[in-house]
Amino acid sequence: MSESAAAAAAAAAVLLDRVQAPDGTGREIPDAATREVIGRAPAHTVADLDQAIERARAAQHAWETLGHEERSALLLKAADAIDANAEALAHLLSREQGKPLNGPNARFELGACSAWLRTNATTVLESQVLVDDESLHAELVYRAAGVVGAIGPWNWPLMITIWQIGPALRMGNTVVAKPSEYTPLSVLALIAVMNDVLPADVLIPISGGRDVGARLASHPDIDKIMFTGSTATGRRIIESSAGNLARLTLELGGNDAGIVLPGTEVSDIAQDLFWGAFINTGQTCAAMKRLYVHDSVYDEVVDALAEIAESTPMGNGLDENNVLGPLQNRPQFDIVSGLVEEARASGARVVTGGAAATDLGELFYRPTIVADIDNDAGLVQQEQFGPALPIIRYSDVDQAFAWANGVDVGLGSSVWSSDPEDARQAAARMQAGTVWINSHGGLHPMVPFGGIKSSGYGLEFGVEGLKSVAVTQVISGPGRKGR
C-alpha cells in the first residue's frame, strides 16, 4: 500500500469510528468487494426517528430566519469540509458501495458532492412580481417547506444524498436523512463532516430499516419527502404520504433506451456508448439499459462495445488500476445473472461476459454484451441495473422509436448520430425526462432532472430544484395608486 493510500485508509477509519455503532451493537456492513466486515451501522428505531424529527422541527425556524446569505455561507463551508475529507470519504465509499476510486466512480462522486453543494449555495431564486399596476401589487415568494425527509439509494449514496439535502438546506428547511440499509456508513460519515460546520439539528441522519423509512414517509411532522429508488418503493411512499399530505419529489426506476441512427460513425461514439451503459458497473438509474442499433452499423457497434468491455479493468475498487467493481449486493447480483441466463436460454448471443467473475470475488459479474436479442426479452424489458447491455437490431427507424418508448418508465434516453439535425429531430421523439445526444447520463447542477411515466415526478437541480423544496406564498397589497 502506498503512503497516500495508507493515509486515506487511516483517515477513513477515523471517520468510521465517529459514526459506527459501539462494539456489539448495530448491524454489520460488509466490504462490497471482499465481503469482510467494514463496521457496524447504528440500528435506529422508529422512536429514534420520532425524536430526530422533533429536534429538526424545533431547529427549523431559526435556520430559516438566518436568511439565504448566511445559510449559503455555511453550505459553502460544508462543501469545503467535504473537499478536505474527500479522499477518506472516497476510500470508505469504495469499500462499502464497491465502486473503484478511479474512473467515473468514488472520487468522481465526492467531486460531484462538492460541486452540487456549492451550486445549491450560490444559485439565486428570485421572487416573481405577478402584477404591479395602479390597483394591485402581487408578488410570488418561495419559503421553506419545513422538515424534509430524505431517503437515499445505495448506488450513488453520497452524491444523491447531497442532491436531496443541499437544496433543502439552502431554502431553509431542516432535514432528516435516511441512507440505504446497504450503504449507511459512508452517508453517516459525509453528514458528520458537514455537521462539523452546520448548526445543531439542522441535518440529522437516521440509520434504520424499512420500518423507519415507512414512518419517515408517513410522519405527520414531515412536510416534504425526497426519494430516489425503485418504482415499487416509490408507490408505497405515495400511499404512506396520503395521511400527512407531504409534498414529494420521486426519482424512480428507469430502463433508459439509446438509439444509434443509420450512418453514425461508430468509432466516434463507442467509448461514450460504453460508459453510458457501464458507469458505476451499470448500477445507475439513468444509465443506458438497452441499445437499439440500425442494421447498417449493428455488427460494428457490437464488436466495438465487446472489445471495450473485455479491455476495461475490473476488480477491488481500492486498486488504482480498476474502473469497474462488483455488484453492491447479492439480490442485485442475482437479478443481473438471472436475466442474462434467461436471455441466453432464449437464443440471444452473449458476445462477451455472461458469467460471474469468481476469481475477483463473490459479487463480481463480468461486463456483458448481449446481441441478437428480441425486444420482448426480460433483459430488455426489465431494468437489470448491472453490467449487462442488450443490443437490439432494427431496420425501420419508426420501429426503433416504438420499442424505445414502449415501456412504462421514462427517466432518460439518448440518440446517437453523426448528423446534428437528425439527432435533434430524433431526440424530440423520445419519451423521457431527459434526452441526451451522443452521450448518456451526464448531469449538470444547473440543468433540471426528473422522470416521466413511472420514473417519478418532480424536478431536481438548479432553480427548479430549489423551487421543489419550497412552498409558494403570494403577498398581495395596494398598487402604486394606494402607496
Side-chain angles (χ1 to χ4, degrees), residues 272-443:
D272 290 328
L273 273 176
F274 179 83
W275 286 111
F278 288 89
I279 184 172
N280 195 27
T281 316
Q283 299 165 109
T284 299
C285 296
M288 186 168 58
K289 310 296 197 323
R290 51 204 172 104
L291 180 61
Y292 298 91
V293 181
H294 189 262
D295 268 334
S296 61
V297 290
Y298 185 85
D299 291 335
E300 189 177 356
V301 167
V302 169
D303 291 345
L305 291 180
E307 182 178 349
I308 296 170
E310 290 167 359
S311 62
T312 301
M314 169 180 274
N316 190 307
L318 297 182
D319 183 330
E320 299 277 354
N321 296 310
N322 294 324
V323 290
L324 294 174
L327 276 300
Q328 200 283 326
N329 55 79
R330 169 58 64 177
Q332 197 57 48
F333 180 94
D334 291 343
I335 289 170
V336 175
S337 59
L339 287 171
V340 172
E341 286 309 307
E342 179 185 276
R344 194 198 313 266
S346 70
R349 175 167 58 101
V350 177
V351 182
T352 191
T358 53
D359 55 317
L360 300 176
E362 180 181 332
L363 297 184
F364 286 88
Y365 195 87
R366 299 198 183 281
T368 299
I369 300 297
V370 179
D372 303 334
I373 185 170
D374 293 335
N375 184 62
D376 59 1
L379 185 60
V380 178
Q381 294 300 311
Q382 299 176 42
E383 184 183 23
Q384 71 275 39
F385 216 68
L389 178 65
I391 306 179
I392 305 96
R393 185 192 300 266
Y394 75 89
S395 56
D396 183 292
V397 174
D398 291 337
Q399 178 67 79
F401 282 105
W403 282 340
N405 294 329
V407 295
D408 68 347
V409 289
L411 188 57
S413 63
S414 59
V415 292
W416 304 76
S417 175
S418 298
D419 185 317
E421 184 56 34
D422 283 354
R424 291 200 171 273
Q425 291 180 12
R429 301 180 64 180
M430 299 293 271
Q431 296 174 6
T434 298
V435 185
W436 292 278
I437 295 175
N438 290 345
S439 67
H440 197 114
L443 301 173

Side-chain angles (χ1 to χ4, degrees), residues 461-480:
F461 311 162
V463 172
E464 295 303 320
L466 296 181
K467 290 179 181 178
S468 77
V469 288
V471 292
T472 56
Q473 182 180 59
V474 174
I475 299 175
S476 186
R480 289 189 292 268

Side-chain angles (χ1 to χ4, degrees), residues 202-247:
V202 164
L203 173 59
I204 304 174
I206 200 83
S207 171
R210 293 185 179 182
D211 57 335
V212 173
R215 174 62 172 169
L216 182 57
S218 63
H219 198 287
D221 273 338
I222 289 292
D223 301 289
K224 168 83 182 187
I225 288 288
M226 303 187 77
F227 170 73
T228 296
S230 72
T231 297
T233 302
R235 293 185 193 279
R236 290 195 292 273
I237 287 173
I238 293 170
E239 294 169 357
S240 296
S241 68
N244 60 7
L245 292 178
R247 290 160 172 80

Side-chain angles (χ1 to χ4, degrees), residues 63 68-84 89 108-124 158-173 175 190-198 202-203 444-446 461-462 466:
W63 176 244
H68 289 297
E69 186 173 339
E70 289 193 49
R71 288 197 303 273
S72 294
L74 285 167
L75 291 178
L76 289 173
K77 289 181 179 178
D80 291 341
I82 292 171
D83 287 339
L89 286 167
F108 170 87
E109 183 165 350
L110 266 299
C113 288
S114 174
W116 252 265
L117 191 55
R118 292 182 192 282
T119 300
N120 294 150
T122 55
T123 298
V124 176
L158 304 190
M159 183 175 70
I160 292 177
T161 292
I162 291 294
W163 290 357
Q164 296 172 337
I165 67 179
L169 293 172
R170 165 70 173 78
M171 291 305 296
N173 304 285
V175 181
L190 173 75
I191 291 175
V193 165
M194 295 179 66
N195 277 339
D196 286 339
V197 299
L198 294 175
V202 164
L203 173 59
H444 188 284
M446 284 302 295
F461 311 162
L466 296 181

Side-chain angles (χ1 to χ4, degrees), residues 16 20 27-31 34-40 95 185:
L16 182 59
Q20 70 174 331
R27 184 170 50 84
E28 291 184 347
I29 302 297
D31 183 305
T34 67
R35 311 311 294 168
E36 298 170 350
V37 174
I38 298 172
R40 304 184 71 90
R95 294 194 67 195
L185 296 174

Side-chain angles (χ1 to χ4, degrees), residues 33-105:
T34 67
R35 311 311 294 168
E36 298 170 350
V37 174
I38 298 172
R40 304 184 71 90
H44 293 139
T45 65
V46 168
D48 294 325
L49 172 66
D50 290 344
Q51 292 174 9
I53 294 173
E54 183 178 353
R55 288 161 48 205
R57 175 65 66 191
Q60 193 272 321
H61 177 71
W63 176 244
E64 184 176 7
T65 55
L66 272 182
H68 289 297
E69 186 173 339
E70 289 193 49
R71 288 197 303 273
S72 294
L74 285 167
L75 291 178
L76 289 173
K77 289 181 179 178
D80 291 341
I82 292 171
D83 287 339
N85 290 274
E87 192 65 13
L89 286 167
H91 184 98
L92 181 55
L93 173 64
S94 180
R95 294 194 67 195
E96 184 178 46
Q97 200 282 331
K99 64 184 64 181
L101 292 170
N102 288 324
N105 292 300

